[in-house]
Amino acid sequence: MKKLGKIGLQLLFFVVVFGAGFWWFFPRQEAVDYGVVLMTRAAAHRGVKLTVRGATMGEGLVPHWRVEDIEGRSPLFSVRGTAVEARWLPLDSLISGSLALSLTWGNGGLDAFGKHLAWDGGEAHMEMTPGILRCAGLDLRGSVQARGDLTVDLAGARIRTAQMRISVPGDLDPVLGGAAMFLPLQKESEGLWHLTREDDHGTPQS
């Protein structure tokens, strides 16, 4: 029994050392650069030209990534952001069986329908499984505000579920009014909207 325990400790030591060595010498920046290339290609497939002027992976045992000067353009809109930082949450990932991330971002803006929407920053808890992105506790701050939860079907490029409250200056109501043609947006009052959708278990939707 003691011999078996000794072998187990030696095996554990080997795994820890091997894992630490792999993590230490892993080409992190090359992996980040490749990730940016994949994101750019995926965006182009959806008709969006995505540019990223800086992407890095932080040091430490828990991976975290930072992307700076992001811009996306399409015939319908353009969106810009100063910085987005994602931090891996290992315990949450283990519990949920997904890739769990803590996401924070700086100021940015969206131009659509001849109007400009701006925000000062925000945060969200994200969980990713193949084809599905869940965003919980989203908090977008600034002249444009949004709070709530959202689930997106990445394969179908559609919103699966949503419970969000959105606030914008009154003169930006036409922007959300236009977006309501293809998003489940409902107006409560001037400048106050709700993005709401119940899970339809795969029924086609916009």
PDB file of all heavy atoms in Angstrom, residues 20-58:
ATOM      1  N   ALA A  20       3.589  22.403 -15.623  1.00  0.00           N
ATOM      2  CA  ALA A  20       4.208  23.707 -15.396  1.00  0.00           C
ATOM      3  C   ALA A  20       5.210  24.033 -16.501  1.00  0.00           C
ATOM      4  O   ALA A  20       5.288  25.169 -16.986  1.00  0.00           O
ATOM      5  CB  ALA A  20       4.893  23.733 -14.036  1.00  0.00           C
ATOM      6  N   GLY A  21       5.990  23.030 -16.884  1.00  0.00           N
ATOM      7  CA  GLY A  21       6.965  23.246 -17.951  1.00  0.00           C
ATOM      8  C   GLY A  21       6.307  23.550 -19.278  1.00  0.00           C
ATOM      9  O   GLY A  21       6.736  24.449 -20.015  1.00  0.00           O
ATOM     10  N   PHE A  22       5.222  22.823 -19.569  1.00  0.00           N
ATOM     11  CA  PHE A  22       4.497  23.076 -20.822  1.00  0.00           C
ATOM     12  C   PHE A  22       3.928  24.488 -20.842  1.00  0.00           C
ATOM     13  O   PHE A  22       4.024  25.200 -21.846  1.00  0.00           O
ATOM     14  CB  PHE A  22       3.369  22.050 -20.956  1.00  0.00           C
ATOM     15  CG  PHE A  22       2.505  22.264 -22.168  1.00  0.00           C
ATOM     16  CD1 PHE A  22       2.914  21.824 -23.417  1.00  0.00           C
ATOM     17  CD2 PHE A  22       1.282  22.906 -22.053  1.00  0.00           C
ATOM     18  CE1 PHE A  22       2.123  22.017 -24.536  1.00  0.00           C
ATOM     19  CE2 PHE A  22       0.479  23.121 -23.162  1.00  0.00           C
ATOM     20  CZ  PHE A  22       0.904  22.669 -24.398  1.00  0.00           C
ATOM     21  N   TRP A  23       3.324  24.902 -19.702  1.00  0.00           N
ATOM     22  CA  TRP A  23       2.750  26.239 -19.616  1.00  0.00           C
ATOM     23  C   TRP A  23       3.817  27.316 -19.714  1.00  0.00           C
ATOM     24  O   TRP A  23       3.635  28.351 -20.356  1.00  0.00           O
ATOM     25  CB  TRP A  23       1.953  26.374 -18.318  1.00  0.00           C
ATOM     26  CG  TRP A  23       1.373  27.735 -18.101  1.00  0.00           C
ATOM     27  CD1 TRP A  23       1.695  28.631 -17.147  1.00  0.00           C
ATOM     28  CD2 TRP A  23       0.349  28.353 -18.882  1.00  0.00           C
ATOM     29  NE1 TRP A  23       0.955  29.775 -17.270  1.00  0.00           N
ATOM     30  CE2 TRP A  23       0.119  29.637 -18.321  1.00  0.00           C
ATOM     31  CE3 TRP A  23      -0.399  27.960 -19.990  1.00  0.00           C
ATOM     32  CZ2 TRP A  23      -0.825  30.504 -18.850  1.00  0.00           C
ATOM     33  CZ3 TRP A  23      -1.341  28.838 -20.516  1.00  0.00           C
ATOM     34  CH2 TRP A  23      -1.531  30.092 -19.934  1.00  0.00           C
ATOM     35  N   TRP A  24       4.976  27.075 -19.093  1.00  0.00           N
ATOM     36  CA  TRP A  24       6.046  28.078 -19.083  1.00  0.00           C
ATOM     37  C   TRP A  24       6.620  28.307 -20.469  1.00  0.00           C
ATOM     38  O   TRP A  24       6.920  29.436 -20.852  1.00  0.00           O
ATOM     39  CB  TRP A  24       7.141  27.638 -18.117  1.00  0.00           C
ATOM     40  CG  TRP A  24       8.236  28.648 -17.985  1.00  0.00           C
ATOM     41  CD1 TRP A  24       9.442  28.672 -18.623  1.00  0.00           C
ATOM     42  CD2 TRP A  24       8.218  29.826 -17.160  1.00  0.00           C
ATOM     43  NE1 TRP A  24      10.169  29.766 -18.258  1.00  0.00           N
ATOM     44  CE2 TRP A  24       9.447  30.493 -17.363  1.00  0.00           C
ATOM     45  CE3 TRP A  24       7.277  30.368 -16.275  1.00  0.00           C
ATOM     46  CZ2 TRP A  24       9.752  31.683 -16.702  1.00  0.00           C
ATOM     47  CZ3 TRP A  24       7.594  31.544 -15.625  1.00  0.00           C
ATOM     48  CH2 TRP A  24       8.815  32.184 -15.838  1.00  0.00           C
ATOM     49  N   PHE A  25       6.779  27.215 -21.241  1.00  0.00           N
ATOM     50  CA  PHE A  25       7.416  27.330 -22.553  1.00  0.00           C
ATOM     51  C   PHE A  25       6.410  27.379 -23.708  1.00  0.00           C
ATOM     52  O   PHE A  25       6.811  27.438 -24.864  1.00  0.00           O
ATOM     53  CB  PHE A  25       8.376  26.147 -22.770  1.00  0.00           C
ATOM     54  CG  PHE A  25       9.571  26.186 -21.846  1.00  0.00           C
ATOM     55  CD1 PHE A  25       9.652  25.315 -20.775  1.00  0.00           C
ATOM     56  CD2 PHE A  25      10.589  27.106 -22.047  1.00  0.00           C
ATOM     57  CE1 PHE A  25      10.754  25.349 -19.919  1.00  0.00           C
ATOM     58  CE2 PHE A  25      11.688  27.147 -21.187  1.00  0.00           C
ATOM     59  CZ  PHE A  25      11.766  26.267 -20.118  1.00  0.00           C
ATOM     60  N   PHE A  26       5.119  27.368 -23.381  1.00  0.00           N
ATOM     61  CA  PHE A  26       4.106  27.422 -24.426  1.00  0.00           C
ATOM     62  C   PHE A  26       4.187  28.762 -25.168  1.00  0.00           C
ATOM     63  O   PHE A  26       4.283  29.823 -24.538  1.00  0.00           O
ATOM     64  CB  PHE A  26       2.716  27.266 -23.797  1.00  0.00           C
ATOM     65  CG  PHE A  26       1.604  27.248 -24.805  1.00  0.00           C
ATOM     66  CD1 PHE A  26       1.365  26.139 -25.578  1.00  0.00           C
ATOM     67  CD2 PHE A  26       0.778  28.358 -24.967  1.00  0.00           C
ATOM     68  CE1 PHE A  26       0.337  26.108 -26.499  1.00  0.00           C
ATOM     69  CE2 PHE A  26      -0.261  28.350 -25.888  1.00  0.00           C
ATOM     70  CZ  PHE A  26      -0.484  27.218 -26.660  1.00  0.00           C
ATOM     71  N   PRO A  27       4.171  28.741 -26.502  1.00  0.00           N
ATOM     72  CA  PRO A  27       4.262  29.994 -27.275  1.00  0.00           C
ATOM     73  C   PRO A  27       2.968  30.796 -27.182  1.00  0.00           C
ATOM     74  O   PRO A  27       2.124  30.764 -28.072  1.00  0.00           O
ATOM     75  CB  PRO A  27       4.537  29.504 -28.706  1.00  0.00           C
ATOM     76  CG  PRO A  27       3.921  28.144 -28.761  1.00  0.00           C
ATOM     77  CD  PRO A  27       4.112  27.558 -27.387  1.00  0.00           C
ATOM     78  N   ARG A  28       2.822  31.548 -26.105  1.00  0.00           N
ATOM     79  CA  ARG A  28       1.553  32.218 -25.812  1.00  0.00           C
ATOM     80  C   ARG A  28       1.181  33.259 -26.860  1.00  0.00           C
ATOM     81  O   ARG A  28       0.042  33.321 -27.317  1.00  0.00           O
ATOM     82  CB  ARG A  28       1.629  32.868 -24.429  1.00  0.00           C
ATOM     83  CG  ARG A  28       1.981  31.895 -23.325  1.00  0.00           C
ATOM     84  CD  ARG A  28       2.033  32.597 -21.985  1.00  0.00           C
ATOM     85  NE  ARG A  28       2.560  31.714 -20.951  1.00  0.00           N
ATOM     86  CZ  ARG A  28       2.629  32.041 -19.669  1.00  0.00           C
ATOM     87  NH1 ARG A  28       2.231  33.224 -19.275  1.00  0.00           N
ATOM     88  NH2 ARG A  28       3.103  31.191 -18.782  1.00  0.00           N
ATOM     89  N   GLN A  29       2.147  34.119 -27.198  1.00  0.00           N
ATOM     90  CA  GLN A  29       1.825  35.196 -28.128  1.00  0.00           C
ATOM     91  C   GLN A  29       1.427  34.655 -29.491  1.00  0.00           C
ATOM     92  O   GLN A  29       0.506  35.181 -30.138  1.00  0.00           O
ATOM     93  CB  GLN A  29       3.007  36.152 -28.269  1.00  0.00           C
ATOM     94  CG  GLN A  29       2.671  37.429 -29.023  1.00  0.00           C
ATOM     95  CD  GLN A  29       1.499  38.192 -28.388  1.00  0.00           C
ATOM     96  OE1 GLN A  29       1.491  38.415 -27.179  1.00  0.00           O
ATOM     97  NE2 GLN A  29       0.519  38.578 -29.189  1.00  0.00           N
ATOM     98  N   GLU A  30       2.101  33.589 -29.930  1.00  0.00           N
ATOM     99  CA  GLU A  30       1.744  32.981 -31.208  1.00  0.00           C
ATOM    100  C   GLU A  30       0.323  32.432 -31.177  1.00  0.00           C
ATOM    101  O   GLU A  30      -0.430  32.548 -32.151  1.00  0.00           O
ATOM    102  CB  GLU A  30       2.729  31.866 -31.562  1.00  0.00           C
ATOM    103  CG  GLU A  30       4.114  32.340 -31.972  1.00  0.00           C
ATOM    104  CD  GLU A  30       4.988  32.689 -30.768  1.00  0.00           C
ATOM    105  OE1 GLU A  30       4.496  32.614 -29.620  1.00  0.00           O
ATOM    106  OE2 GLU A  30       6.160  33.040 -30.985  1.00  0.00           O
ATOM    107  N   ALA A  31      -0.054  31.845 -30.036  1.00  0.00           N
ATOM    108  CA  ALA A  31      -1.412  31.320 -29.898  1.00  0.00           C
ATOM    109  C   ALA A  31      -2.442  32.451 -29.933  1.00  0.00           C
ATOM    110  O   ALA A  31      -3.497  32.325 -30.551  1.00  0.00           O
ATOM    111  CB  ALA A  31      -1.536  30.535 -28.592  1.00  0.00           C
ATOM    112  N   VAL A  32      -2.125  33.577 -29.264  1.00  0.00           N
ATOM    113  CA  VAL A  32      -3.030  34.721 -29.270  1.00  0.00           C
ATOM    114  C   VAL A  32      -3.175  35.282 -30.674  1.00  0.00           C
ATOM    115  O   VAL A  32      -4.286  35.594 -31.130  1.00  0.00           O
ATOM    116  CB  VAL A  32      -2.524  35.810 -28.307  1.00  0.00           C
ATOM    117  CG1 VAL A  32      -3.332  37.091 -28.466  1.00  0.00           C
ATOM    118  CG2 VAL A  32      -2.609  35.328 -26.868  1.00  0.00           C
ATOM    119  N   ASP A  33      -2.065  35.419 -31.372  1.00  0.00           N
ATOM    120  CA  ASP A  33      -2.107  35.940 -32.744  1.00  0.00           C
ATOM    121  C   ASP A  33      -2.957  35.052 -33.643  1.00  0.00           C
ATOM    122  O   ASP A  33      -3.728  35.540 -34.484  1.00  0.00           O
ATOM    123  CB  ASP A  33      -0.683  36.048 -33.310  1.00  0.00           C
ATOM    124  CG  ASP A  33       0.138  37.110 -32.598  1.00  0.00           C
ATOM    125  OD1 ASP A  33      -0.456  37.972 -31.928  1.00  0.00           O
ATOM    126  OD2 ASP A  33       1.381  37.059 -32.694  1.00  0.00           O
ATOM    127  N   TYR A  34      -2.819  33.741 -33.462  1.00  0.00           N
ATOM    128  CA  TYR A  34      -3.610  32.809 -34.266  1.00  0.00           C
ATOM    129  C   TYR A  34      -5.086  32.934 -33.922  1.00  0.00           C
ATOM    130  O   TYR A  34      -5.955  32.864 -34.802  1.00  0.00           O
ATOM    131  CB  TYR A  34      -3.128  31.380 -34.041  1.00  0.00           C
ATOM    132  CG  TYR A  34      -3.858  30.353 -34.869  1.00  0.00           C
ATOM    133  CD1 TYR A  34      -3.787  30.379 -36.260  1.00  0.00           C
ATOM    134  CD2 TYR A  34      -4.632  29.361 -34.261  1.00  0.00           C
ATOM    135  CE1 TYR A  34      -4.470  29.443 -37.025  1.00  0.00           C
ATOM    136  CE2 TYR A  34      -5.301  28.425 -35.011  1.00  0.00           C
ATOM    137  CZ  TYR A  34      -5.220  28.469 -36.402  1.00  0.00           C
ATOM    138  OH  TYR A  34      -5.891  27.539 -37.157  1.00  0.00           O
ATOM    139  N   GLY A  35      -5.393  33.145 -32.636  1.00  0.00           N
ATOM    140  CA  GLY A  35      -6.774  33.348 -32.221  1.00  0.00           C
ATOM    141  C   GLY A  35      -7.391  34.572 -32.865  1.00  0.00           C
ATOM    142  O   GLY A  35      -8.560  34.561 -33.266  1.00  0.00           O
ATOM    143  N   VAL A  36      -6.606  35.645 -32.977  1.00  0.00           N
ATOM    144  CA  VAL A  36      -7.089  36.866 -33.632  1.00  0.00           C
ATOM    145  C   VAL A  36      -7.391  36.592 -35.104  1.00  0.00           C
ATOM    146  O   VAL A  36      -8.395  37.063 -35.650  1.00  0.00           O
ATOM    147  CB  VAL A  36      -6.070  38.006 -33.489  1.00  0.00           C
ATOM    148  CG1 VAL A  36      -6.456  39.205 -34.353  1.00  0.00           C
ATOM    149  CG2 VAL A  36      -5.946  38.428 -32.031  1.00  0.00           C
ATOM    150  N   VAL A  37      -6.536  35.806 -35.743  1.00  0.00           N
ATOM    151  CA  VAL A  37      -6.756  35.448 -37.151  1.00  0.00           C
ATOM    152  C   VAL A  37      -8.066  34.685 -37.308  1.00  0.00           C
ATOM    153  O   VAL A  37      -8.864  34.955 -38.219  1.00  0.00           O
ATOM    154  CB  VAL A  37      -5.582  34.602 -37.685  1.00  0.00           C
ATOM    155  CG1 VAL A  37      -5.914  34.027 -39.059  1.00  0.00           C
ATOM    156  CG2 VAL A  37      -4.313  35.447 -37.774  1.00  0.00           C
ATOM    157  N   LEU A  38      -8.318  33.736 -36.391  1.00  0.00           N
ATOM    158  CA  LEU A  38      -9.568  32.969 -36.459  1.00  0.00           C
ATOM    159  C   LEU A  38     -10.786  33.864 -36.252  1.00  0.00           C
ATOM    160  O   LEU A  38     -11.803  33.716 -36.943  1.00  0.00           O
ATOM    161  CB  LEU A  38      -9.541  31.858 -35.399  1.00  0.00           C
ATOM    162  CG  LEU A  38      -8.521  30.739 -35.606  1.00  0.00           C
ATOM    163  CD1 LEU A  38      -8.627  29.712 -34.478  1.00  0.00           C
ATOM    164  CD2 LEU A  38      -8.720  30.062 -36.959  1.00  0.00           C
ATOM    165  N   MET A  39     -10.698  34.814 -35.293  1.00  0.00           N
ATOM    166  CA  MET A  39     -11.808  35.742 -35.060  1.00  0.00           C
ATOM    167  C   MET A  39     -12.063  36.603 -36.283  1.00  0.00           C
ATOM    168  O   MET A  39     -13.216  36.859 -36.655  1.00  0.00           O
ATOM    169  CB  MET A  39     -11.509  36.628 -33.849  1.00  0.00           C
ATOM    170  CG  MET A  39     -11.652  35.948 -32.518  1.00  0.00           C
ATOM    171  SD  MET A  39     -11.681  37.132 -31.139  1.00  0.00           S
ATOM    172  CE  MET A  39     -10.143  38.014 -31.405  1.00  0.00           C
ATOM    173  N   THR A  40     -10.998  37.063 -36.921  1.00  0.00           N
ATOM    174  CA  THR A  40     -11.119  37.910 -38.106  1.00  0.00           C
ATOM    175  C   THR A  40     -11.799  37.151 -39.245  1.00  0.00           C
ATOM    176  O   THR A  40     -12.673  37.692 -39.931  1.00  0.00           O
ATOM    177  CB  THR A  40      -9.740  38.407 -38.548  1.00  0.00           C
ATOM    178  OG1 THR A  40      -9.119  39.108 -37.462  1.00  0.00           O
ATOM    179  CG2 THR A  40      -9.844  39.325 -39.740  1.00  0.00           C
ATOM    180  N   ARG A  41     -11.406  35.889 -39.412  1.00  0.00           N
ATOM    181  CA  ARG A  41     -12.016  35.077 -40.463  1.00  0.00           C
ATOM    182  C   ARG A  41     -13.488  34.812 -40.179  1.00  0.00           C
ATOM    183  O   ARG A  41     -14.324  34.878 -41.084  1.00  0.00           O
ATOM    184  CB  ARG A  41     -11.263  33.752 -40.591  1.00  0.00           C
ATOM    185  CG  ARG A  41      -9.860  33.886 -41.163  1.00  0.00           C
ATOM    186  CD  ARG A  41      -9.161  32.542 -41.165  1.00  0.00           C
ATOM    187  NE  ARG A  41      -7.804  32.640 -41.704  1.00  0.00           N
ATOM    188  CZ  ARG A  41      -6.936  31.625 -41.711  1.00  0.00           C
ATOM    189  NH1 ARG A  41      -7.294  30.451 -41.210  1.00  0.00           N
ATOM    190  NH2 ARG A  41      -5.727  31.799 -42.200  1.00  0.00           N
ATOM    191  N   ALA A  42     -13.804  34.516 -38.911  1.00  0.00           N
ATOM    192  CA  ALA A  42     -15.198  34.247 -38.549  1.00  0.00           C
ATOM    193  C   ALA A  42     -16.063  35.490 -38.768  1.00  0.00           C
ATOM    194  O   ALA A  42     -17.191  35.394 -39.246  1.00  0.00           O
ATOM    195  CB  ALA A  42     -15.276  33.799 -37.090  1.00  0.00           C
ATOM    196  N   ALA A  43     -15.528  36.669 -38.419  1.00  0.00           N
ATOM    197  CA  ALA A  43     -16.267  37.913 -38.624  1.00  0.00           C
ATOM    198  C   ALA A  43     -16.483  38.178 -40.113  1.00  0.00           C
ATOM    199  O   ALA A  43     -17.572  38.589 -40.541  1.00  0.00           O
ATOM    200  CB  ALA A  43     -15.522  39.079 -37.981  1.00  0.00           C
ATOM    201  N   ALA A  44     -15.449  37.935 -40.913  1.00  0.00           N
ATOM    202  CA  ALA A  44     -15.560  38.141 -42.357  1.00  0.00           C
ATOM    203  C   ALA A  44     -16.624  37.232 -42.955  1.00  0.00           C
ATOM    204  O   ALA A  44     -17.349  37.625 -43.886  1.00  0.00           O
ATOM    205  CB  ALA A  44     -14.207  37.901 -43.023  1.00  0.00           C
ATOM    206  N   HIS A  45     -16.737  36.032 -42.408  1.00  0.00           N
ATOM    207  CA  HIS A  45     -17.761  35.098 -42.884  1.00  0.00           C
ATOM    208  C   HIS A  45     -19.158  35.646 -42.636  1.00  0.00           C
ATOM    209  O   HIS A  45     -20.105  35.313 -43.364  1.00  0.00           O
ATOM    210  CB  HIS A  45     -17.578  33.751 -42.179  1.00  0.00           C
ATOM    211  CG  HIS A  45     -18.537  32.690 -42.634  1.00  0.00           C
ATOM    212  ND1 HIS A  45     -18.484  32.127 -43.892  1.00  0.00           N
ATOM    213  CD2 HIS A  45     -19.590  32.108 -41.997  1.00  0.00           C
ATOM    214  CE1 HIS A  45     -19.460  31.242 -44.018  1.00  0.00           C
ATOM    215  NE2 HIS A  45     -20.141  31.211 -42.883  1.00  0.00           N
ATOM    216  N   ARG A  46     -19.298  36.505 -41.602  1.00  0.00           N
ATOM    217  CA  ARG A  46     -20.589  37.118 -41.280  1.00  0.00           C
ATOM    218  C   ARG A  46     -20.739  38.497 -41.917  1.00  0.00           C
ATOM    219  O   ARG A  46     -21.695  39.221 -41.634  1.00  0.00           O
ATOM    220  CB  ARG A  46     -20.731  37.258 -39.758  1.00  0.00           C
ATOM    221  CG  ARG A  46     -20.659  35.947 -38.997  1.00  0.00           C
ATOM    222  CD  ARG A  46     -21.858  35.089 -39.267  1.00  0.00           C
ATOM    223  NE  ARG A  46     -21.806  33.847 -38.505  1.00  0.00           N
ATOM    224  CZ  ARG A  46     -22.662  32.843 -38.676  1.00  0.00           C
ATOM    225  NH1 ARG A  46     -23.619  32.949 -39.582  1.00  0.00           N
ATOM    226  NH2 ARG A  46     -22.554  31.747 -37.952  1.00  0.00           N
ATOM    227  N   GLY A  47     -19.796  38.869 -42.777  1.00  0.00           N
ATOM    228  CA  GLY A  47     -19.891  40.151 -43.458  1.00  0.00           C
ATOM    229  C   GLY A  47     -19.367  41.327 -42.667  1.00  0.00           C
ATOM    230  O   GLY A  47     -19.694  42.472 -42.963  1.00  0.00           O
ATOM    231  N   VAL A  48     -18.553  41.057 -41.638  1.00  0.00           N
ATOM    232  CA  VAL A  48     -17.993  42.111 -40.799  1.00  0.00           C
ATOM    233  C   VAL A  48     -16.470  42.132 -40.961  1.00  0.00           C
ATOM    234  O   VAL A  48     -15.810  41.107 -40.810  1.00  0.00           O
ATOM    235  CB  VAL A  48     -18.348  41.893 -39.313  1.00  0.00           C
ATOM    236  CG1 VAL A  48     -17.713  42.981 -38.454  1.00  0.00           C
ATOM    237  CG2 VAL A  48     -19.861  41.874 -39.127  1.00  0.00           C
ATOM    238  N   LYS A  49     -15.931  43.311 -41.258  1.00  0.00           N
ATOM    239  CA  LYS A  49     -14.482  43.461 -41.337  1.00  0.00           C
ATOM    240  C   LYS A  49     -13.961  43.819 -39.945  1.00  0.00           C
ATOM    241  O   LYS A  49     -14.218  44.904 -39.424  1.00  0.00           O
ATOM    242  CB  LYS A  49     -14.106  44.553 -42.334  1.00  0.00           C
ATOM    243  CG  LYS A  49     -12.591  44.719 -42.484  1.00  0.00           C
ATOM    244  CD  LYS A  49     -12.247  45.821 -43.477  1.00  0.00           C
ATOM    245  CE  LYS A  49     -10.726  45.979 -43.585  1.00  0.00           C
ATOM    246  NZ  LYS A  49     -10.364  47.049 -44.540  1.00  0.00           N
ATOM    247  N   LEU A  50     -13.222  42.911 -39.342  1.00  0.00           N
ATOM    248  CA  LEU A  50     -12.727  43.085 -37.971  1.00  0.00           C
ATOM    249  C   LEU A  50     -11.238  43.402 -37.997  1.00  0.00           C
ATOM    250  O   LEU A  50     -10.460  42.721 -38.658  1.00  0.00           O
ATOM    251  CB  LEU A  50     -12.971  41.817 -37.162  1.00  0.00           C
ATOM    252  CG  LEU A  50     -12.515  41.823 -35.705  1.00  0.00           C
ATOM    253  CD1 LEU A  50     -13.351  42.801 -34.893  1.00  0.00           C
ATOM    254  CD2 LEU A  50     -12.614  40.416 -35.106  1.00  0.00           C
ATOM    255  N   THR A  51     -10.846  44.443 -37.262  1.00  0.00           N
ATOM    256  CA  THR A  51      -9.430  44.780 -37.118  1.00  0.00           C
ATOM    257  C   THR A  51      -9.091  44.880 -35.632  1.00  0.00           C
ATOM    258  O   THR A  51      -9.862  45.420 -34.843  1.00  0.00           O
ATOM    259  CB  THR A  51      -9.078  46.112 -37.812  1.00  0.00           C
ATOM    260  OG1 THR A  51      -9.888  47.156 -37.266  1.00  0.00           O
ATOM    261  CG2 THR A  51      -9.306  46.024 -39.305  1.00  0.00           C
ATOM    262  N   VAL A  52      -7.936  44.327 -35.270  1.00  0.00           N
ATOM    263  CA  VAL A  52      -7.428  44.359 -33.895  1.00  0.00           C
ATOM    264  C   VAL A  52      -5.989  44.830 -33.963  1.00  0.00           C
ATOM    265  O   VAL A  52      -5.162  44.230 -34.659  1.00  0.00           O
ATOM    266  CB  VAL A  52      -7.502  42.967 -33.238  1.00  0.00           C
ATOM    267  CG1 VAL A  52      -6.874  42.999 -31.851  1.00  0.00           C
ATOM    268  CG2 VAL A  52      -8.939  42.490 -33.155  1.00  0.00           C
ATOM    269  N   ARG A  53      -5.668  45.914 -33.245  1.00  0.00           N
ATOM    270  CA  ARG A  53      -4.324  46.483 -33.340  1.00  0.00           C
ATOM    271  C   ARG A  53      -3.387  46.030 -32.218  1.00  0.00           C
ATOM    272  O   ARG A  53      -2.229  46.374 -32.208  1.00  0.00           O
ATOM    273  CB  ARG A  53      -4.426  48.013 -33.360  1.00  0.00           C
ATOM    274  CG  ARG A  53      -5.089  48.528 -34.626  1.00  0.00           C
ATOM    275  CD  ARG A  53      -5.168  50.043 -34.676  1.00  0.00           C
ATOM    276  NE  ARG A  53      -5.706  50.498 -35.945  1.00  0.00           N
ATOM    277  CZ  ARG A  53      -6.997  50.573 -36.230  1.00  0.00           C
ATOM    278  NH1 ARG A  53      -7.879  50.213 -35.320  1.00  0.00           N
ATOM    279  NH2 ARG A  53      -7.414  50.991 -37.414  1.00  0.00           N
ATOM    280  N   GLY A  54      -3.903  45.251 -31.281  1.00  0.00           N
ATOM    281  CA  GLY A  54      -3.037  44.752 -30.217  1.00  0.00           C
ATOM    282  C   GLY A  54      -3.705  43.638 -29.452  1.00  0.00           C
ATOM    283  O   GLY A  54      -4.855  43.765 -29.031  1.00  0.00           O
ATOM    284  N   ALA A  55      -3.008  42.504 -29.276  1.00  0.00           N
ATOM    285  CA  ALA A  55      -3.557  41.375 -28.527  1.00  0.00           C
ATOM    286  C   ALA A  55      -2.414  40.700 -27.774  1.00  0.00           C
ATOM    287  O   ALA A  55      -1.391  40.362 -28.369  1.00  0.00           O
ATOM    288  CB  ALA A  55      -4.241  40.385 -29.462  1.00  0.00           C
ATOM    289  N   THR A  56      -2.583  40.522 -26.474  1.00  0.00           N
ATOM    290  CA  THR A  56      -1.533  39.920 -25.648  1.00  0.00           C
ATOM    291  C   THR A  56      -2.140  38.932 -24.666  1.00  0.00           C
ATOM    292  O   THR A  56      -3.335  38.982 -24.352  1.00  0.00           O
ATOM    293  CB  THR A  56      -0.759  40.989 -24.857  1.00  0.00           C
ATOM    294  OG1 THR A  56      -1.686  41.741 -24.052  1.00  0.00           O
ATOM    295  CG2 THR A  56      -0.005  41.935 -25.781  1.00  0.00           C
ATOM    296  N   MET A  57      -1.282  38.045 -24.160  1.00  0.00           N
ATOM    297  CA  MET A  57      -1.668  37.086 -23.131  1.00  0.00           C
ATOM    298  C   MET A  57      -0.844  37.367 -21.898  1.00  0.00           C
ATOM    299  O   MET A  57       0.393  37.435 -21.961  1.00  0.00           O
ATOM    300  CB  MET A  57      -1.438  35.655 -23.619  1.00  0.00           C
ATOM    301  CG  MET A  57      -1.926  34.588 -22.663  1.00  0.00           C
ATOM    302  SD  MET A  57      -1.776  32.946 -23.415  1.00  0.00           S
ATOM    303  CE  MET A  57      -2.556  31.937 -22.151  1.00  0.00           C
ATOM    304  N   GLY A  58      -1.501  37.562 -20.753  1.00  0.00           N
ATOM    305  CA  GLY A  58      -0.805  37.926 -19.533  1.00  0.00           C
ATOM    306  C   GLY A  58      -0.035  36.788 -18.909  1.00  0.00           C
ATOM    307  O   GLY A  58      -0.265  35.605 -19.198  1.00  0.00           O
TER     308      GLY A  58
END
